[in-house]
Amino acid sequence: MTSPKKVCIKTYGCQMQVYDSDRMLSLLKPFGYTQTEDPTEANLIILNTCNIREKAEQKIFSELGRIREYKKAQEAQGQEYLIAVGGCVAQAQGDEIVRQAPYVSVVFGPQNYHRLPEYLTKVRRESSWRSPEGVAAIQNGSPHRCAPRDDVPVRKHHVDVEFPVESKFDYIPAVSETKASAFLTIQEGCNKFCHFCVVPYTRGAEYSRPVKAIIEEAKHLVGLGAKEITLLGQNVSDYHGDDEKGNPASLAVLLETVAKELPELKRLRYTTSHPRDITDHLIECHGSLPQLMPYLHLPVQTGSDKMLKAMNRKHTIDLYYGLMEKFRKARPDIMVSSDFIVGYPGETQEDHKQTLQLVQDCIDVGYSFNYSVRPGTPASVLDQVPEDVKTPRLYELQDLLRMKQLLAHQKQVGLVNEVLVEKKGKEPGQLIGKNPHLQSVYFDGDESLIGEIVPVKILAAYQNSLHGELIEA
Ligand code: SAH
Ligand code: SF4
Ligand code: F3S
């Protein structure tokens, strides 16, 4: 018998985190947990964390301080309140979390969340346990000591940041509901070791799920009402999961298989790719598969060959320009988005100008960040570009990116876009959805249209969205 309990999950970072959080909810359901958005009324709070940049990591530690107060209030009323920290900060900083926040009960890495119910049971079983020396953390099976912080009730923690031999995918139950636009993780981890990035250390080595498991999950999602599926991974362009015969299938083959096996699926997307892995076959898919949406996220980070080399990206700017030409030939209306790191160690004004040139020439939408030092990565020990040099460069790049995005929006004015309706807008009677180029479109319509794909004539373009009117069928 399980008694009803509430879980609140806060998700940070990339789309794979959203996928993982949804699976955590499915895992916890049989244990009597229902979801709440309100952390003060929960019995379990899970922080699914990201540490791609320093700010993302700091956020977690300040959030934990707030949550501790909720815990005290709930426990004062005799309610259980367990705190679990998962995701990439947990993986990288498991011990530090337990040291700074000894009231956390479970710390688990991104590859271990299928074991969460087991950890919760263990924590509950051992919660009356007290140690005269302080709090024991279990890591790699052997207890070690952490100093007690203060008067919070001492509770045994479970820290699991090992990379287990079994795949978590074999243990997580399917979701029982989905949005019209669903995520499906097909690949995890990264072997590329770009010199600025923590992902290879937090998500581990690359692993591709077999084609069969992906098709089954895609069918399940479509059965639940998904109209669009985005295939996810840190490096989906390097996907090489087993096909039916046990041979590695490429992303292009997987996309073709999904399109063939799920004729009722209206939209297909994939993210994120690396320029180094893009094949002609993948580019051809953008011309041959109508389900594959005209949008590509292909991070380049910089427009300078010298910086690409320093970052260990292992391709040239010429290769990127060449790819853009081929993608646009295969799908002339494709929208290209990218990521940029500004002020990587060694970046000069000339390198920065080359980044601006690349954006000018071939990018429609961009996400840009100041380089953030990540402990343990090769770039962390290099001489750093000062903040007062970095930040004006970032602003200059962001101004240009904003202009490019507005231009991309303006191109849609007067056209009819197929919009996948996601939710109600801010104004009464307003709906918001996404067009094939992943641009946000808002228009007036009945909320029964949520989850449907409808034609909308675009009337006006703004910085972050498009405004249109529904075309009656
Ligand atoms: N796998 C993808 C990117 C994953 S991380 C790729 O290869 O491009 C998402 C983005 O975060 C990166 O594209 C990069 O722009 C940014 N990023 C990663 N590490 C960073 C760091 N140390 N400082 C600033 N931005 C970083
Ligand atoms: Fe990080 Fe590079 Fe791997 Fe992308 S390819 S996840 S940036 S190491
Ligand atoms: Fe962040 Fe980990 Fe994703 S560091 S971006 S949550 S892979």
PDB file of all heavy atoms in Angstrom, residues 417 419-425 427-434 440-446 449-450 452-459 466-471:
ATOM      1  N   ASN A 417       1.200  30.070 -42.195  1.00  0.00           N
ATOM      2  CA  ASN A 417       2.024  29.096 -41.455  1.00  0.00           C
ATOM      3  C   ASN A 417       1.145  28.023 -40.843  1.00  0.00           C
ATOM      4  O   ASN A 417       0.077  28.329 -40.311  1.00  0.00           O
ATOM      5  CB  ASN A 417       2.754  29.778 -40.285  1.00  0.00           C
ATOM      6  CG  ASN A 417       3.952  30.614 -40.702  1.00  0.00           C
ATOM      7  OD1 ASN A 417       4.620  31.196 -39.855  1.00  0.00           O
ATOM      8  ND2 ASN A 417       4.241  30.691 -41.992  1.00  0.00           N
ATOM      9  N   VAL A 419       0.528  26.035 -37.768  1.00  0.00           N
ATOM     10  CA  VAL A 419       0.941  26.269 -36.382  1.00  0.00           C
ATOM     11  C   VAL A 419       0.465  25.119 -35.490  1.00  0.00           C
ATOM     12  O   VAL A 419      -0.719  24.779 -35.495  1.00  0.00           O
ATOM     13  CB  VAL A 419       0.386  27.615 -35.873  1.00  0.00           C
ATOM     14  CG1 VAL A 419       0.714  27.815 -34.403  1.00  0.00           C
ATOM     15  CG2 VAL A 419       0.954  28.766 -36.704  1.00  0.00           C
ATOM     16  N   LEU A 420       1.392  24.535 -34.763  1.00  0.00           N
ATOM     17  CA  LEU A 420       1.033  23.525 -33.757  1.00  0.00           C
ATOM     18  C   LEU A 420       0.705  24.282 -32.469  1.00  0.00           C
ATOM     19  O   LEU A 420       1.586  24.905 -31.854  1.00  0.00           O
ATOM     20  CB  LEU A 420       2.201  22.548 -33.543  1.00  0.00           C
ATOM     21  CG  LEU A 420       2.048  21.513 -32.424  1.00  0.00           C
ATOM     22  CD1 LEU A 420       0.749  20.732 -32.518  1.00  0.00           C
ATOM     23  CD2 LEU A 420       3.221  20.536 -32.431  1.00  0.00           C
ATOM     24  N   VAL A 421      -0.573  24.247 -32.095  1.00  0.00           N
ATOM     25  CA  VAL A 421      -1.029  25.083 -30.976  1.00  0.00           C
ATOM     26  C   VAL A 421      -0.606  24.460 -29.653  1.00  0.00           C
ATOM     27  O   VAL A 421      -0.884  23.284 -29.385  1.00  0.00           O
ATOM     28  CB  VAL A 421      -2.574  25.257 -31.015  1.00  0.00           C
ATOM     29  CG1 VAL A 421      -3.006  26.277 -29.969  1.00  0.00           C
ATOM     30  CG2 VAL A 421      -3.030  25.683 -32.401  1.00  0.00           C
ATOM     31  N   GLU A 422       0.097  25.259 -28.818  1.00  0.00           N
ATOM     32  CA  GLU A 422       0.659  24.714 -27.569  1.00  0.00           C
ATOM     33  C   GLU A 422      -0.138  25.071 -26.330  1.00  0.00           C
ATOM     34  O   GLU A 422      -0.302  24.268 -25.430  1.00  0.00           O
ATOM     35  CB  GLU A 422       2.086  25.230 -27.392  1.00  0.00           C
ATOM     36  CG  GLU A 422       3.041  24.580 -28.368  1.00  0.00           C
ATOM     37  CD  GLU A 422       4.456  25.092 -28.245  1.00  0.00           C
ATOM     38  OE1 GLU A 422       4.668  26.156 -27.636  1.00  0.00           O
ATOM     39  OE2 GLU A 422       5.353  24.417 -28.777  1.00  0.00           O
ATOM     40  N   LYS A 423      -0.579  26.334 -26.255  1.00  0.00           N
ATOM     41  CA  LYS A 423      -1.235  26.756 -25.009  1.00  0.00           C
ATOM     42  C   LYS A 423      -2.006  28.057 -25.209  1.00  0.00           C
ATOM     43  O   LYS A 423      -1.933  28.671 -26.274  1.00  0.00           O
ATOM     44  CB  LYS A 423      -0.184  26.935 -23.911  1.00  0.00           C
ATOM     45  CG  LYS A 423       0.912  27.902 -24.283  1.00  0.00           C
ATOM     46  CD  LYS A 423       1.990  27.964 -23.219  1.00  0.00           C
ATOM     47  CE  LYS A 423       3.048  28.946 -23.683  1.00  0.00           C
ATOM     48  NZ  LYS A 423       4.250  28.989 -22.942  1.00  0.00           N
ATOM     49  N   LYS A 424      -2.701  28.447 -24.125  1.00  0.00           N
ATOM     50  CA  LYS A 424      -3.406  29.725 -24.160  1.00  0.00           C
ATOM     51  C   LYS A 424      -2.385  30.856 -24.053  1.00  0.00           C
ATOM     52  O   LYS A 424      -1.360  30.706 -23.386  1.00  0.00           O
ATOM     53  CB  LYS A 424      -4.370  29.824 -22.973  1.00  0.00           C
ATOM     54  CG  LYS A 424      -5.596  28.942 -23.141  1.00  0.00           C
ATOM     55  CD  LYS A 424      -6.700  29.373 -22.211  1.00  0.00           C
ATOM     56  CE  LYS A 424      -6.563  28.684 -20.868  1.00  0.00           C
ATOM     57  NZ  LYS A 424      -7.641  29.005 -19.939  1.00  0.00           N
ATOM     58  N   GLY A 425      -2.686  32.002 -24.681  1.00  0.00           N
ATOM     59  CA  GLY A 425      -1.807  33.172 -24.587  1.00  0.00           C
ATOM     60  C   GLY A 425      -2.141  33.995 -23.354  1.00  0.00           C
ATOM     61  O   GLY A 425      -2.970  33.606 -22.536  1.00  0.00           O
ATOM     62  N   GLU A 427      -3.475  37.103 -23.296  1.00  0.00           N
ATOM     63  CA  GLU A 427      -4.764  37.794 -23.424  1.00  0.00           C
ATOM     64  C   GLU A 427      -5.894  36.760 -23.521  1.00  0.00           C
ATOM     65  O   GLU A 427      -5.681  35.674 -24.050  1.00  0.00           O
ATOM     66  CB  GLU A 427      -4.784  38.650 -24.692  1.00  0.00           C
ATOM     67  CG  GLU A 427      -3.615  39.619 -24.831  1.00  0.00           C
ATOM     68  CD  GLU A 427      -3.662  40.711 -23.783  1.00  0.00           C
ATOM     69  OE1 GLU A 427      -4.776  41.117 -23.391  1.00  0.00           O
ATOM     70  OE2 GLU A 427      -2.576  41.153 -23.339  1.00  0.00           O
ATOM     71  N   PRO A 428      -7.104  37.132 -23.057  1.00  0.00           N
ATOM     72  CA  PRO A 428      -8.226  36.188 -23.192  1.00  0.00           C
ATOM     73  C   PRO A 428      -8.482  35.856 -24.668  1.00  0.00           C
ATOM     74  O   PRO A 428      -8.431  36.750 -25.520  1.00  0.00           O
ATOM     75  CB  PRO A 428      -9.421  36.955 -22.587  1.00  0.00           C
ATOM     76  CG  PRO A 428      -8.868  38.168 -21.927  1.00  0.00           C
ATOM     77  CD  PRO A 428      -7.478  38.393 -22.407  1.00  0.00           C
ATOM     78  N   GLY A 429      -8.734  34.587 -24.942  1.00  0.00           N
ATOM     79  CA  GLY A 429      -9.056  34.160 -26.317  1.00  0.00           C
ATOM     80  C   GLY A 429      -7.833  33.970 -27.206  1.00  0.00           C
ATOM     81  O   GLY A 429      -7.955  33.611 -28.371  1.00  0.00           O
ATOM     82  N   GLN A 430      -6.646  34.224 -26.631  1.00  0.00           N
ATOM     83  CA  GLN A 430      -5.433  34.126 -27.446  1.00  0.00           C
ATOM     84  C   GLN A 430      -4.790  32.729 -27.327  1.00  0.00           C
ATOM     85  O   GLN A 430      -4.817  32.134 -26.253  1.00  0.00           O
ATOM     86  CB  GLN A 430      -4.450  35.158 -26.919  1.00  0.00           C
ATOM     87  CG  GLN A 430      -3.434  35.631 -27.914  1.00  0.00           C
ATOM     88  CD  GLN A 430      -2.557  36.696 -27.268  1.00  0.00           C
ATOM     89  OE1 GLN A 430      -1.893  36.431 -26.276  1.00  0.00           O
ATOM     90  NE2 GLN A 430      -2.588  37.883 -27.825  1.00  0.00           N
ATOM     91  N   LEU A 431      -4.237  32.244 -28.438  1.00  0.00           N
ATOM     92  CA  LEU A 431      -3.515  30.965 -28.423  1.00  0.00           C
ATOM     93  C   LEU A 431      -2.079  31.185 -28.895  1.00  0.00           C
ATOM     94  O   LEU A 431      -1.814  32.120 -29.660  1.00  0.00           O
ATOM     95  CB  LEU A 431      -4.200  29.975 -29.362  1.00  0.00           C
ATOM     96  CG  LEU A 431      -5.640  29.578 -29.015  1.00  0.00           C
ATOM     97  CD1 LEU A 431      -6.229  28.723 -30.147  1.00  0.00           C
ATOM     98  CD2 LEU A 431      -5.699  28.813 -27.694  1.00  0.00           C
ATOM     99  N   ILE A 432      -1.177  30.300 -28.439  1.00  0.00           N
ATOM    100  CA  ILE A 432       0.223  30.396 -28.870  1.00  0.00           C
ATOM    101  C   ILE A 432       0.671  29.033 -29.368  1.00  0.00           C
ATOM    102  O   ILE A 432       0.341  27.996 -28.777  1.00  0.00           O
ATOM    103  CB  ILE A 432       1.145  30.830 -27.711  1.00  0.00           C
ATOM    104  CG1 ILE A 432       0.761  32.217 -27.230  1.00  0.00           C
ATOM    105  CG2 ILE A 432       2.618  30.807 -28.129  1.00  0.00           C
ATOM    106  CD1 ILE A 432       1.665  32.798 -26.171  1.00  0.00           C
ATOM    107  N   GLY A 433       1.423  29.044 -30.465  1.00  0.00           N
ATOM    108  CA  GLY A 433       1.959  27.779 -30.966  1.00  0.00           C
ATOM    109  C   GLY A 433       3.237  28.024 -31.742  1.00  0.00           C
ATOM    110  O   GLY A 433       3.796  29.115 -31.713  1.00  0.00           O
ATOM    111  N   LYS A 434       3.709  26.963 -32.401  1.00  0.00           N
ATOM    112  CA  LYS A 434       4.967  27.060 -33.146  1.00  0.00           C
ATOM    113  C   LYS A 434       4.726  26.741 -34.623  1.00  0.00           C
ATOM    114  O   LYS A 434       4.013  25.791 -34.960  1.00  0.00           O
ATOM    115  CB  LYS A 434       5.988  26.052 -32.592  1.00  0.00           C
ATOM    116  CG  LYS A 434       6.463  26.372 -31.186  1.00  0.00           C
ATOM    117  CD  LYS A 434       7.645  27.300 -31.210  1.00  0.00           C
ATOM    118  CE  LYS A 434       8.124  27.829 -29.887  1.00  0.00           C
ATOM    119  NZ  LYS A 434       7.743  27.211 -28.681  1.00  0.00           N
ATOM    120  N   SER A 440       7.515  31.353 -32.564  1.00  0.00           N
ATOM    121  CA  SER A 440       6.258  31.436 -31.802  1.00  0.00           C
ATOM    122  C   SER A 440       5.255  32.297 -32.553  1.00  0.00           C
ATOM    123  O   SER A 440       5.588  33.390 -33.008  1.00  0.00           O
ATOM    124  CB  SER A 440       6.506  32.102 -30.443  1.00  0.00           C
ATOM    125  OG  SER A 440       7.245  31.231 -29.642  1.00  0.00           O
ATOM    126  N   VAL A 441       4.044  31.784 -32.663  1.00  0.00           N
ATOM    127  CA  VAL A 441       2.977  32.505 -33.363  1.00  0.00           C
ATOM    128  C   VAL A 441       1.801  32.649 -32.408  1.00  0.00           C
ATOM    129  O   VAL A 441       1.402  31.669 -31.780  1.00  0.00           O
ATOM    130  CB  VAL A 441       2.506  31.726 -34.617  1.00  0.00           C
ATOM    131  CG1 VAL A 441       1.402  32.491 -35.345  1.00  0.00           C
ATOM    132  CG2 VAL A 441       3.670  31.430 -35.551  1.00  0.00           C
ATOM    133  N   TYR A 442       1.262  33.864 -32.275  1.00  0.00           N
ATOM    134  CA  TYR A 442       0.053  33.985 -31.469  1.00  0.00           C
ATOM    135  C   TYR A 442      -1.097  34.539 -32.303  1.00  0.00           C
ATOM    136  O   TYR A 442      -0.904  35.290 -33.256  1.00  0.00           O
ATOM    137  CB  TYR A 442       0.303  34.771 -30.172  1.00  0.00           C
ATOM    138  CG  TYR A 442       0.566  36.236 -30.334  1.00  0.00           C
ATOM    139  CD1 TYR A 442      -0.464  37.163 -30.254  1.00  0.00           C
ATOM    140  CD2 TYR A 442       1.854  36.705 -30.553  1.00  0.00           C
ATOM    141  CE1 TYR A 442      -0.225  38.507 -30.403  1.00  0.00           C
ATOM    142  CE2 TYR A 442       2.109  38.043 -30.699  1.00  0.00           C
ATOM    143  CZ  TYR A 442       1.064  38.952 -30.630  1.00  0.00           C
ATOM    144  OH  TYR A 442       1.310  40.284 -30.791  1.00  0.00           O
ATOM    145  N   PHE A 443      -2.289  34.087 -31.953  1.00  0.00           N
ATOM    146  CA  PHE A 443      -3.486  34.431 -32.729  1.00  0.00           C
ATOM    147  C   PHE A 443      -4.709  34.144 -31.875  1.00  0.00           C
ATOM    148  O   PHE A 443      -4.607  33.468 -30.850  1.00  0.00           O
ATOM    149  CB  PHE A 443      -3.530  33.595 -34.027  1.00  0.00           C
ATOM    150  CG  PHE A 443      -3.564  32.115 -33.796  1.00  0.00           C
ATOM    151  CD1 PHE A 443      -4.769  31.413 -33.811  1.00  0.00           C
ATOM    152  CD2 PHE A 443      -2.400  31.406 -33.522  1.00  0.00           C
ATOM    153  CE1 PHE A 443      -4.813  30.048 -33.572  1.00  0.00           C
ATOM    154  CE2 PHE A 443      -2.437  30.031 -33.280  1.00  0.00           C
ATOM    155  CZ  PHE A 443      -3.635  29.357 -33.307  1.00  0.00           C
ATOM    156  N   ASP A 444      -5.882  34.658 -32.282  1.00  0.00           N
ATOM    157  CA  ASP A 444      -7.107  34.407 -31.534  1.00  0.00           C
ATOM    158  C   ASP A 444      -7.739  33.098 -31.998  1.00  0.00           C
ATOM    159  O   ASP A 444      -7.800  32.820 -33.190  1.00  0.00           O
ATOM    160  CB  ASP A 444      -8.108  35.550 -31.740  1.00  0.00           C
ATOM    161  CG  ASP A 444      -7.691  36.794 -30.955  1.00  0.00           C
ATOM    162  OD1 ASP A 444      -6.850  36.641 -30.027  1.00  0.00           O
ATOM    163  OD2 ASP A 444      -8.169  37.888 -31.276  1.00  0.00           O
ATOM    164  N   GLY A 445      -8.223  32.309 -31.031  1.00  0.00           N
ATOM    165  CA  GLY A 445      -8.868  31.045 -31.391  1.00  0.00           C
ATOM    166  C   GLY A 445      -9.383  30.357 -30.143  1.00  0.00           C
ATOM    167  O   GLY A 445      -9.031  30.739 -29.019  1.00  0.00           O
ATOM    168  N   ASP A 446     -10.177  29.314 -30.381  1.00  0.00           N
ATOM    169  CA  ASP A 446     -10.776  28.593 -29.258  1.00  0.00           C
ATOM    170  C   ASP A 446      -9.771  27.615 -28.651  1.00  0.00           C
ATOM    171  O   ASP A 446      -9.016  26.973 -29.381  1.00  0.00           O
ATOM    172  CB  ASP A 446     -12.001  27.825 -29.771  1.00  0.00           C
ATOM    173  CG  ASP A 446     -12.788  27.249 -28.626  1.00  0.00           C
ATOM    174  OD1 ASP A 446     -13.588  27.997 -28.048  1.00  0.00           O
ATOM    175  OD2 ASP A 446     -12.536  26.062 -28.288  1.00  0.00           O
ATOM    176  N   LEU A 449      -8.498  24.121 -29.769  1.00  0.00           N
ATOM    177  CA  LEU A 449      -7.484  23.910 -30.822  1.00  0.00           C
ATOM    178  C   LEU A 449      -6.117  23.529 -30.249  1.00  0.00           C
ATOM    179  O   LEU A 449      -5.205  23.159 -30.998  1.00  0.00           O
ATOM    180  CB  LEU A 449      -7.334  25.184 -31.670  1.00  0.00           C
ATOM    181  CG  LEU A 449      -8.560  25.590 -32.489  1.00  0.00           C
ATOM    182  CD1 LEU A 449      -8.310  26.900 -33.216  1.00  0.00           C
ATOM    183  CD2 LEU A 449      -8.907  24.499 -33.504  1.00  0.00           C
ATOM    184  N   ILE A 450      -5.966  23.612 -28.928  1.00  0.00           N
ATOM    185  CA  ILE A 450      -4.671  23.254 -28.320  1.00  0.00           C
ATOM    186  C   ILE A 450      -4.343  21.799 -28.655  1.00  0.00           C
ATOM    187  O   ILE A 450      -5.180  20.915 -28.493  1.00  0.00           O
ATOM    188  CB  ILE A 450      -4.690  23.499 -26.785  1.00  0.00           C
ATOM    189  CG1 ILE A 450      -4.778  24.997 -26.524  1.00  0.00           C
ATOM    190  CG2 ILE A 450      -3.445  22.907 -26.110  1.00  0.00           C
ATOM    191  CD1 ILE A 450      -4.971  25.391 -25.075  1.00  0.00           C
ATOM    192  N   GLU A 452      -3.629  20.915 -31.747  1.00  0.00           N
ATOM    193  CA  GLU A 452      -3.914  20.727 -33.181  1.00  0.00           C
ATOM    194  C   GLU A 452      -2.933  21.539 -34.023  1.00  0.00           C
ATOM    195  O   GLU A 452      -2.321  22.488 -33.537  1.00  0.00           O
ATOM    196  CB  GLU A 452      -5.333  21.205 -33.517  1.00  0.00           C
ATOM    197  CG  GLU A 452      -6.439  20.505 -32.762  1.00  0.00           C
ATOM    198  CD  GLU A 452      -6.522  19.017 -33.075  1.00  0.00           C
ATOM    199  OE1 GLU A 452      -6.306  18.652 -34.248  1.00  0.00           O
ATOM    200  OE2 GLU A 452      -6.756  18.229 -32.132  1.00  0.00           O
ATOM    201  N   ILE A 453      -2.833  21.168 -35.311  1.00  0.00           N
ATOM    202  CA  ILE A 453      -2.048  21.975 -36.252  1.00  0.00           C
ATOM    203  C   ILE A 453      -3.042  22.741 -37.124  1.00  0.00           C
ATOM    204  O   ILE A 453      -3.905  22.134 -37.762  1.00  0.00           O
ATOM    205  CB  ILE A 453      -1.125  21.089 -37.109  1.00  0.00           C
ATOM    206  CG1 ILE A 453      -0.083  20.406 -36.200  1.00  0.00           C
ATOM    207  CG2 ILE A 453      -0.435  21.904 -38.197  1.00  0.00           C
ATOM    208  CD1 ILE A 453       0.839  19.433 -36.897  1.00  0.00           C
ATOM    209  N   VAL A 454      -2.944  24.082 -37.113  1.00  0.00           N
ATOM    210  CA  VAL A 454      -3.937  24.894 -37.822  1.00  0.00           C
ATOM    211  C   VAL A 454      -3.232  25.927 -38.713  1.00  0.00           C
ATOM    212  O   VAL A 454      -2.127  26.368 -38.406  1.00  0.00           O
ATOM    213  CB  VAL A 454      -4.872  25.630 -36.825  1.00  0.00           C
ATOM    214  CG1 VAL A 454      -5.706  24.656 -36.026  1.00  0.00           C
ATOM    215  CG2 VAL A 454      -4.089  26.551 -35.893  1.00  0.00           C
ATOM    216  N   PRO A 455      -3.905  26.326 -39.823  1.00  0.00           N
ATOM    217  CA  PRO A 455      -3.292  27.345 -40.686  1.00  0.00           C
ATOM    218  C   PRO A 455      -3.520  28.756 -40.137  1.00  0.00           C
ATOM    219  O   PRO A 455      -4.636  29.111 -39.766  1.00  0.00           O
ATOM    220  CB  PRO A 455      -4.024  27.152 -42.021  1.00  0.00           C
ATOM    221  CG  PRO A 455      -5.311  26.486 -41.683  1.00  0.00           C
ATOM    222  CD  PRO A 455      -5.164  25.790 -40.364  1.00  0.00           C
ATOM    223  N   VAL A 456      -2.458  29.533 -40.081  1.00  0.00           N
ATOM    224  CA  VAL A 456      -2.548  30.901 -39.547  1.00  0.00           C
ATOM    225  C   VAL A 456      -1.860  31.848 -40.533  1.00  0.00           C
ATOM    226  O   VAL A 456      -0.715  31.601 -40.929  1.00  0.00           O
ATOM    227  CB  VAL A 456      -1.842  30.988 -38.162  1.00  0.00           C
ATOM    228  CG1 VAL A 456      -1.826  32.420 -37.645  1.00  0.00           C
ATOM    229  CG2 VAL A 456      -2.522  30.067 -37.140  1.00  0.00           C
ATOM    230  N   LYS A 457      -2.585  32.898 -40.910  1.00  0.00           N
ATOM    231  CA  LYS A 457      -1.960  33.892 -41.797  1.00  0.00           C
ATOM    232  C   LYS A 457      -1.178  34.886 -40.954  1.00  0.00           C
ATOM    233  O   LYS A 457      -1.708  35.464 -39.998  1.00  0.00           O
ATOM    234  CB  LYS A 457      -3.024  34.611 -42.615  1.00  0.00           C
ATOM    235  CG  LYS A 457      -2.404  35.628 -43.526  1.00  0.00           C
ATOM    236  CD  LYS A 457      -3.273  36.022 -44.674  1.00  0.00           C
ATOM    237  CE  LYS A 457      -2.444  36.935 -45.559  1.00  0.00           C
ATOM    238  NZ  LYS A 457      -3.233  37.768 -46.400  1.00  0.00           N
ATOM    239  N   ILE A 458       0.101  35.070 -41.265  1.00  0.00           N
ATOM    240  CA  ILE A 458       0.956  35.944 -40.454  1.00  0.00           C
ATOM    241  C   ILE A 458       0.733  37.407 -40.862  1.00  0.00           C
ATOM    242  O   ILE A 458       0.876  37.776 -42.030  1.00  0.00           O
ATOM    243  CB  ILE A 458       2.448  35.553 -40.608  1.00  0.00           C
ATOM    244  CG1 ILE A 458       2.657  34.072 -40.270  1.00  0.00           C
ATOM    245  CG2 ILE A 458       3.326  36.456 -39.738  1.00  0.00           C
ATOM    246  CD1 ILE A 458       2.240  33.641 -38.875  1.00  0.00           C
ATOM    247  N   LEU A 459       0.381  38.212 -39.857  1.00  0.00           N
ATOM    248  CA  LEU A 459       0.068  39.616 -40.108  1.00  0.00           C
ATOM    249  C   LEU A 459       1.191  40.561 -39.678  1.00  0.00           C
ATOM    250  O   LEU A 459       1.376  41.619 -40.263  1.00  0.00           O
ATOM    251  CB  LEU A 459      -1.209  40.012 -39.349  1.00  0.00           C
ATOM    252  CG  LEU A 459      -2.455  39.181 -39.663  1.00  0.00           C
ATOM    253  CD1 LEU A 459      -3.599  39.551 -38.732  1.00  0.00           C
ATOM    254  CD2 LEU A 459      -2.871  39.380 -41.122  1.00  0.00           C
ATOM    255  N   LEU A 466       5.485  36.077 -33.749  1.00  0.00           N
ATOM    256  CA  LEU A 466       4.706  36.499 -34.911  1.00  0.00           C
ATOM    257  C   LEU A 466       3.250  36.594 -34.493  1.00  0.00           C
ATOM    258  O   LEU A 466       2.797  35.835 -33.631  1.00  0.00           O
ATOM    259  CB  LEU A 466       4.824  35.453 -36.019  1.00  0.00           C
ATOM    260  CG  LEU A 466       6.219  35.254 -36.612  1.00  0.00           C
ATOM    261  CD1 LEU A 466       6.293  33.940 -37.379  1.00  0.00           C
ATOM    262  CD2 LEU A 466       6.573  36.420 -37.523  1.00  0.00           C
ATOM    263  N   HIS A 467       2.519  37.514 -35.120  1.00  0.00           N
ATOM    264  CA  HIS A 467       1.090  37.616 -34.838  1.00  0.00           C
ATOM    265  C   HIS A 467       0.326  37.284 -36.111  1.00  0.00           C
ATOM    266  O   HIS A 467       0.699  37.717 -37.197  1.00  0.00           O
ATOM    267  CB  HIS A 467       0.754  39.031 -34.352  1.00  0.00           C
ATOM    268  CG  HIS A 467      -0.715  39.240 -34.182  1.00  0.00           C
ATOM    269  ND1 HIS A 467      -1.402  40.288 -34.743  1.00  0.00           N
ATOM    270  CD2 HIS A 467      -1.634  38.495 -33.531  1.00  0.00           C
ATOM    271  CE1 HIS A 467      -2.683  40.192 -34.436  1.00  0.00           C
ATOM    272  NE2 HIS A 467      -2.845  39.120 -33.695  1.00  0.00           N
ATOM    273  N   GLY A 468      -0.735  36.469 -35.961  1.00  0.00           N
ATOM    274  CA  GLY A 468      -1.475  36.102 -37.161  1.00  0.00           C
ATOM    275  C   GLY A 468      -2.949  35.906 -36.898  1.00  0.00           C
ATOM    276  O   GLY A 468      -3.424  36.132 -35.777  1.00  0.00           O
ATOM    277  N   GLU A 469      -3.665  35.510 -37.987  1.00  0.00           N
ATOM    278  CA  GLU A 469      -5.085  35.187 -37.788  1.00  0.00           C
ATOM    279  C   GLU A 469      -5.375  33.804 -38.361  1.00  0.00           C
ATOM    280  O   GLU A 469      -4.826  33.402 -39.383  1.00  0.00           O
ATOM    281  CB  GLU A 469      -5.992  36.253 -38.392  1.00  0.00           C
ATOM    282  CG  GLU A 469      -5.971  36.302 -39.886  1.00  0.00           C
ATOM    283  CD  GLU A 469      -6.844  37.424 -40.443  1.00  0.00           C
ATOM    284  OE1 GLU A 469      -7.443  38.189 -39.667  1.00  0.00           O
ATOM    285  OE2 GLU A 469      -6.907  37.523 -41.690  1.00  0.00           O
ATOM    286  N   LEU A 470      -6.265  33.122 -37.634  1.00  0.00           N
ATOM    287  CA  LEU A 470      -6.629  31.763 -38.000  1.00  0.00           C
ATOM    288  C   LEU A 470      -7.365  31.790 -39.335  1.00  0.00           C
ATOM    289  O   LEU A 470      -8.238  32.639 -39.551  1.00  0.00           O
ATOM    290  CB  LEU A 470      -7.558  31.218 -36.905  1.00  0.00           C
ATOM    291  CG  LEU A 470      -7.934  29.767 -36.939  1.00  0.00           C
ATOM    292  CD1 LEU A 470      -6.713  28.885 -36.740  1.00  0.00           C
ATOM    293  CD2 LEU A 470      -8.945  29.491 -35.817  1.00  0.00           C
ATOM    294  N   ILE A 471      -7.011  30.870 -40.217  1.00  0.00           N
ATOM    295  CA  ILE A 471      -7.720  30.775 -41.490  1.00  0.00           C
ATOM    296  C   ILE A 471      -8.751  29.674 -41.336  1.00  0.00           C
ATOM    297  O   ILE A 471      -8.385  28.536 -41.001  1.00  0.00           O
ATOM    298  CB  ILE A 471      -6.736  30.447 -42.618  1.00  0.00           C
ATOM    299  CG1 ILE A 471      -5.645  31.504 -42.620  1.00  0.00           C
ATOM    300  CG2 ILE A 471      -7.447  30.292 -43.935  1.00  0.00           C
ATOM    301  CD1 ILE A 471      -5.065  31.826 -43.924  1.00  0.00           C
TER     302      ILE A 471
END
